[in-house]
Amino acid sequence: MQDLKKSYQNTTYKLGNHSPRNVAVLKEAFENVDANLESDIYGTGAIIEDFQAKIATTLGKEAAVFFPSGTMAQQIALRIWADKKQNPKIGYHPLSHLEIHEQDGLRELQHIEPILLCDADKLITLADIKALDASVSCVLLELPQREIGGQLPSFEELEEISHYCRENGIQLHLDGARLWEITPYYQKSTEEISALFDSVYVSFYKGLGGIAGAILAGDEDFVKEAKVWKRRYGGDLISLYPYILSADYYYDKRIGKMGHYYEAAKELAGRFNACSGVSTLPEVPVSNMFHVYFDESAEVIESILAKIHAETGVGCSGYLQVKPDGRCAFELSLGDAITEVPAEKLAQVFEQLGNMK
Amino acid sequence: MQDLKKSYQNTTYKLGNHSPRNVAVLKEAFENVDANLESDIYGTGAIIEDFQAKIATTLGKEAAVFFPSGTMAQQIALRIWADKKQNPKIGYHPLSHLEIHEQDGLRELQHIEPILLCDADKLITLADIKALDASVSCVLLELPQREIGGQLPSFEELEEISHYCRENGIQLHLDGARLWEITPYYQKSTEEISALFDSVYVSFYKGLGGIAGAILAGDEDFVKEAKVWKRRYGGDLISLYPYILSADYYYDKRIGKMGHYYEAAKELAGRFNACSGVSTLPEVPVSNMFHVYFDESAEVIESILAKIHAETGVGCSGYLQVKPDGRCAFELSLGDAITEVPAEKLAQVFEQLGNMK
């Protein structure tokens, strides 16, 4: 896999993401910031308070708190709801970030008992939640469900889920790591989507391309409690401004481009699907992301991709994930990078992919 | 107290700290960093690995891991030692950062039972630790003990404590938030001091004046486990380079100045002590820090300090803490700022303070 990674890194253009994750990201964000601007201090000061207010408004929530990471923000959200209901059981998807990427922090630090709501390759449905019989304090929904290519329920089903949870005393939390990216498909604002949830986490380094950082939003009491937990976790840094100012900068720079990224994803997925032995999940993307599946083994695809990288200068992926059924796949999230790939180079990529048999 | 704060903010010079905590701190650190330098990614990459290795070497430990905060780093250190000894009891000072500034994170997240080792106004002694009868898994020593003005035990007593703990199966952890700052008094290297401890936490924004961030160092197994906990806490950010590169920059810039800061502290404390009704704790500083106590009430001292600020342009403090005995005090940590105060202005400050009766 090292060869694939290396060949990817050596390409001039990339299909996915924005520019490379290097120090230029910070330099661009800070270029026009006044050097005399005072740091935030332990969660106070204009830099952090203004940005929290801005995102709270965008999400239609009473209040918001900036966190260094979504991992910290979401564990805390679930703990607050578990405490409120005096019930440590919460429901989420088996491939939730909390389940597979956090070294069991939720269980180890918060003693929460997750209930896995559905099969790993499916979306959570209203029926899955009804089957819980209101035995959980909270349900977490991730929109879009990243690990299955970024799939979404219909907005009508979301509304039904929200209604059911409210009627049955279940708190509903949104893992909105990619919330900005789904507004074009739903044709709803972030506020309209967030209105279905009691608490919302959003991220600033995925579709928006900031350096790092997250916001957790909800009502005043919820956010007040979240700030106490933020201090307990060691997330209440003396200065978070390197993340906050860059989050704000890239939010303003890219929030209006989510429709373009979504259209680019649909177009690119169509081109992958036109190649024999290649398919995307979902077949038609509902956000800026999708997974690209190959019917051949990772060994075969690795060398094909490495050759494409070398010959076209366009990077498809630096890795391949082997799936249980023997196929292999990689993830693509469309951003600014795709706009820089020359049309003839992109055509070469798909010509080679289409002729790989 | 708002008047005092405002008058302090309006002064041209300050007695304590370095330059103001504003965006210039970041801009200076990044001015000469190559924009093409690749970000660290979730704890990997040259930026983070090289800095961890550099500080591990400085501390004479096998390995080190960079954390966004000391709060996170220290809770994790104590949990690892508690697990190793299968004993949730750890001993520390009643005014430890963990006890008074972390919203009880250690108890809430780690279920550790702290044993307070001595009276709040005293230093922990070997006798205090012996009195535990080896009933704790770990003892945390903070050097210098910040909340009592930054006091230190003798190095000989430290050696005895270390020897006793090793003989009796007690892990010894160093809260070295201000470790760099005590090397001139002990006339020992950070490696010599750290050698007495099983694990060491150091900070990069106090004496060194970085933006934020901490390092936890120890043996390979300890650091490996700390990295798992770092992910659980949500401290394993995709990019920590804003803190790491600035920590490295200010480490190099200021590590050689600790002797100057220490000398400046001793001189300044002497001048405070020469004023009637004013005294410092400790009387003779053992690092760059000390507390300034006034025999009068906070109301009286507030207006005197505000007047000094307005008339001399030199800021002493923006706050006063009222003590149980009715006196009031503020903290001073000497850094680069003191070197910029003109001698005649400083003389005015002490002339006014000396004549306040």
Side-chain angles (χ1 to χ4, degrees), chain A residues 49-357:
Chain A
E49 288 166 16
D50 291 354
F51 188 60
Q52 288 172 169
K54 173 177 173 171
I55 301 300
T57 302
T58 300
L59 299 175
K61 296 297 181 197
E62 283 178 16
V65 48
F66 190 90
F67 275 93
S69 75
T71 295
M72 195 185 288
Q74 294 209 104
Q75 287 181 18
I76 287 171
L78 299 184
R79 170 63 184 262
I80 292 170
W81 296 138
D83 280 359
K84 181 177 169 147
K85 300 286 175 181
Q86 296 185 284
N87 176 359
K89 289 196 175 68
I90 63 100
Y92 59 44
H93 193 275
L95 300 183
S96 166
H97 194 275
L98 291 118
E99 189 65 16
I100 65 174
H101 290 308
E102 302 181 8
Q103 292 277 1
D104 251 351
L106 190 65
R107 290 180 183 85
E108 292 284 344
L109 291 168
Q110 297 292 11
H111 306 275
I112 279 174
E113 300 170 33
I115 310 290
L116 306 182
L117 291 179
C118 61
D119 288 342
D121 60 348
K122 297 282 193 305
L123 280 174
I124 295 166
T125 63
L126 176 59
D128 294 324
I129 295 170
K130 281 184 173 171
L132 292 169
D133 209 15
S135 63
V136 297
S137 55
C138 173
V139 163
L140 175 148
L141 290 187
E142 182 186 348
L143 302 180
Q145 198 70 52
R146 183 220 181 152
E147 299 288 344
I148 52 172
Q151 299 182 47
L152 285 175
S154 71
F155 197 75
E156 292 65 39
E157 183 161 18
L158 264 192
E159 289 177 312
E160 284 166 23
I161 289 172
S162 175
H163 182 72
Y164 175 82
C165 286
R166 279 190 187 150
E167 291 286 301
N168 289 275
I170 300 170
Q171 304 290 325
L172 196 58
H173 171 76
L174 172 57
D175 178 342
R178 294 164 183 80
L179 173 61
W180 323 112
E181 295 89 321
I182 61 173
T183 52
Y185 170 74
Y186 276 146
Q187 286 291 299
K188 300 283 179 190
S189 67
T190 45
E191 184 175 349
E192 287 170 306
I193 301 167
S194 299
L196 305 177
F197 296 85
D198 299 297
S199 55
V200 177
Y201 141 67
V202 289
S203 172
F204 297 99
Y205 69 87
K206 296 167 182 100
L208 295 174
I211 301 175
I215 280 256
L216 186 61
D219 65 31
E220 294 280 5
D221 285 350
F222 172 86
V223 168
K224 198 175 156 194
E225 230 180 307
K227 286 180 180 175
V228 172
W229 280 107
K230 178 182 167 189
R231 177 153 279 251
R232 286 178 180 146
Y233 267 74
D236 193 17
L237 306 197
I238 184 167
S239 297
L240 281 165
Y241 73 81
Y243 298 131
I244 299 168
L245 292 175
S246 51
D248 200 13
Y249 175 84
Y250 289 108
Y251 179 88
D252 288 346
K253 179 173 174 172
R254 296 195 175 115
I255 193 67
K257 294 185 175 182
M258 295 298 149
H260 296 290
Y261 303 154
Y262 169 52
E263 293 302 327
K266 283 193 291 185
E267 195 203 318
L268 207 66
R271 295 178 80 165
F272 276 111
N273 285 312
C275 301
S276 169
V278 185
S279 56
T280 69
L281 183 71
E283 192 185 337
V284 179
V286 291
S287 71
N288 71 326
M289 79 171 291
F290 56 90
H291 289 181
V292 182
Y293 277 77
F294 299 90
D295 294 341
E296 292 283 352
S297 72
E299 290 68 35
V300 172
I301 300 303
E302 232 181 278
S303 64
I304 291 171
L305 288 181
K307 192 161 169 279
I308 290 175
H309 291 165
E311 292 178 4
T312 67
V314 180
C316 299
S317 177
Y319 75 97
L320 284 167
Q321 200 181 12
V322 178
K323 297 290 174 179
D325 61 8
R327 293 190 300 165
C328 63
F330 65 82
E331 179 176 286
L332 268 182
S333 295
L334 280 287
D336 289 348
I338 189 68
T339 63
E340 290 175 18
V341 185
E344 71 277 11
K345 300 254 177 213
L346 196 58
Q348 280 174 35
V349 168
F350 286 106
E351 198 184 311
Q352 294 204 23
L353 263 185
N355 293 326
M356 69 180 174
K357 292 249 162 156

